Amino acid sequence: MRNRVTALLVALLTMVTLLATSGIAQAKAITLRLAHPMAPGNNVTLGYEKFKEIVEKKSEGKVKIQLFGNCMLGSDRVTMEAVQRGTLEMASSSSPNMANFSPMFMVFDLPYITSPTHQKNLYEALDSGDLGKYLSTESEKIGLKPIMFSEYGYRNFVSRTAPVTNVASLANMKVRTTDSPVEVAVAKALTMNPAPIAWGEVYTALQQGTVDGEGNTFSLLYDAKHNEVLKFANDSAHNYSMHILMINAKVFAGLPADVQQLLVDAGKETLVYQRGITNELETKAKQKFIEGGIKVHTLTAEERAEYVKLTRPVWDLFADRIPKHLLDLVLATQK
């Protein structure tokens, strides 16, 4: 009888010890700051609000996510640099701006390398396939740990000065790009004049005529009120981007195992919601463009083929910086 009581006490003590050392069970809350540049109401913004909700609910408030959106702490490049240094726990960067940290992320900037038709395949490869594992390994080399590959969407060309229809209409247009060398090369291939400008400064650049246009999703442009200064757009869908949520790798490694798992699981759950709302938000924003008087040109098959043909040589320009294996992993999703 005594042995059975002793065994029960040992079991209870073990359970108490495990709970006491569990990160989520700690009395002191863990607060993680998350910075991103996206506007209120945007699909990425809504995703991070959902992520915060899930983490705090499942941890019963023991893990808190403090959000700083809309470039509050700076552009995605600035905040991701802070995460690398360890002065900020988490940040979200567009895949083009992640090219500043690792050339591997340039693969998504390649024009027309992916298509909306095959998005499900791409998601699976990123979330549970070799593509996501590859990018995670590369990220850890630069001190970062991916939590989720948030949907950003496909960029379309827009202008404040002249219609954007066929390739000829783009000639000599001063176009805002990110710092991604691929985006700059795409602009040049389409005979535009690229001007890399941080996202938070683009509205003013359009207003003041520093640039004539840009390439972005309808939803982000509308949420950031760029539609107020734009007059023309097309549906080029020439470039796919994600917003990648990263955490400082050392910070992540220093978290209790249950908190680490909580963040990873919350990221997966968030993606189901965030990707699920993106198409509807994009469609609504495009309609708002039209209702607001912006002329949106739908490319003909011939016009789109010309875009693809003229930008395809850009792939070759970066063949020495984007490993063939990585390129093949992305292309394998487009079947």
Side-chain angles (χ1 to χ4, degrees):
M1 180 67 178
R2 180 180 297 176
N3 288 340
R4 293 175 65 182
V5 171
T6 300
L8 180 60
L9 286 173
V10 170
L12 289 171
L13 285 172
T14 300
M15 184 179 297
V16 170
T17 301
L18 288 172
L19 287 171
T21 57
S22 164
I24 296 178
Q26 289 177 345
K28 185 178 179 181
I30 296 172
T31 298
L32 301 172
R33 296 165 297 166
L34 190 168
H36 67 86
M38 307 302 267
N42 180 259
N43 65 327
V44 175
T45 301
L46 294 175
Y48 293 143
E49 290 171 355
K50 175 63 71 173
F51 178 73
K52 170 184 171 68
E53 176 188 320
I54 293 171
V55 169
E56 294 183 356
K57 181 178 180 180
K58 291 197 170 182
S59 68
E60 297 182 345
K62 298 295 177 61
V63 182
K64 298 184 181 298
I65 304 296
Q66 192 173 6
L67 296 176
F68 298 90
N70 208 22
C71 293
M72 194 181 302
L73 299 184
S75 68
D76 35 357
R77 179 173 180 172
V78 169
T79 55
M80 195 60 71
E81 288 172 348
V83 172
Q84 272 192 314
R85 292 194 302 269
T87 56
L88 179 68
E89 292 81 37
M90 306 174 79
S92 178
S93 171
S94 67
S95 42
N97 280 320
M98 277 306 303
N100 292 298
F101 301 90
S102 170
M104 302 303 114
F105 290 98
M106 291 194 300
V107 70
F108 297 104
D109 297 341
L110 295 176
Y112 298 104
I113 190 171
T114 64
S115 164
T117 305
H118 302 292
Q119 283 301 103
K120 184 177 179 181
N121 293 344
L122 181 60
Y123 294 156
E124 290 176 353
L126 287 166
D127 299 342
S128 58
D130 290 340
L131 178 58
K133 293 174 184 176
Y134 185 102
L135 294 174
S136 292
T137 298
E138 292 300 319
S139 298
E140 288 171 11
K141 291 178 183 178
I142 54 175
L144 301 170
K145 161 76 176 174
I147 296 298
M148 60 175 160
F149 298 95
S150 299
E151 178 77 342
Y152 184 157
Y154 284 84
R155 286 182 167 88
N156 306 291
F157 287 120
V158 294
S159 169
R160 65 175 184 85
T161 56
V164 280
T165 54
N166 58 15
V167 170
S169 71
L170 305 179
N172 300 315
M173 185 173 84
K174 293 180 292 183
V175 63
R176 177 264 174 175
T177 68
T178 67
D179 284 328
S180 167
V182 180
E183 277 200 46
V184 172
V186 168
K188 290 180 178 178
L190 294 172
T191 69
M192 293 186 286
N193 296 319
I197 298 175
W199 170 245
E201 302 169 12
V202 181
Y203 184 98
T204 301
L206 287 166
Q207 261 190 331
Q208 297 178 346
T210 305
V211 292
D212 301 319
E214 59 180 312
N216 226 312
T217 64
F218 292 124
S219 58
L220 179 57
L221 292 170
Y222 183 75
D223 294 332
K225 302 187 185 304
H226 287 206
N227 56 297
E228 296 175 351
V229 289
L230 295 171
K231 295 181 180 179
F232 306 96
N234 69 17
D235 64 342
S236 57
H238 57 278
N239 166 264
Y240 173 70
S241 291
M242 295 175 288
H243 241 273
I244 305 170
L245 179 60
M246 298 281 197
I247 187 170
N248 177 281
K250 290 183 179 179
V251 168
F252 184 82
L255 293 171
D258 55 347
V259 177
Q260 292 179 2
Q261 192 62 49
L262 170 66
L263 295 177
V264 172
D265 291 344
K268 292 178 181 178
E269 187 174 339
T270 297
L271 285 178
V272 175
Y273 162 80
Q274 195 263 340
R275 289 169 178 166
I277 64 174
T278 294
N279 284 338
E280 182 181 355
L281 291 174
E282 185 72 358
T283 300
K284 286 183 177 179
K286 182 179 179 180
Q287 185 58 37
K288 291 290 186 182
F289 265 44
I290 296 170
E291 292 173 0
I294 296 175
K295 295 181 179 179
V296 180
H297 175 73
T298 301
L299 296 180
T300 66
E302 293 76 15
E303 287 171 340
R304 192 175 301 278
E306 187 179 17
Y307 275 75
V308 174
K309 178 181 178 181
L310 289 180
T311 58
R312 180 61 179 78
V314 172
W315 292 29
D316 301 327
L317 294 177
F318 295 90
D320 61 335
R321 301 182 65 184
I322 301 174
K324 184 178 182 302
H325 176 60
L326 174 57
L327 188 69
D328 289 342
L329 286 175
V330 176
L331 290 175
T333 67
Q334 302 301 296
K335 300 176 181 177

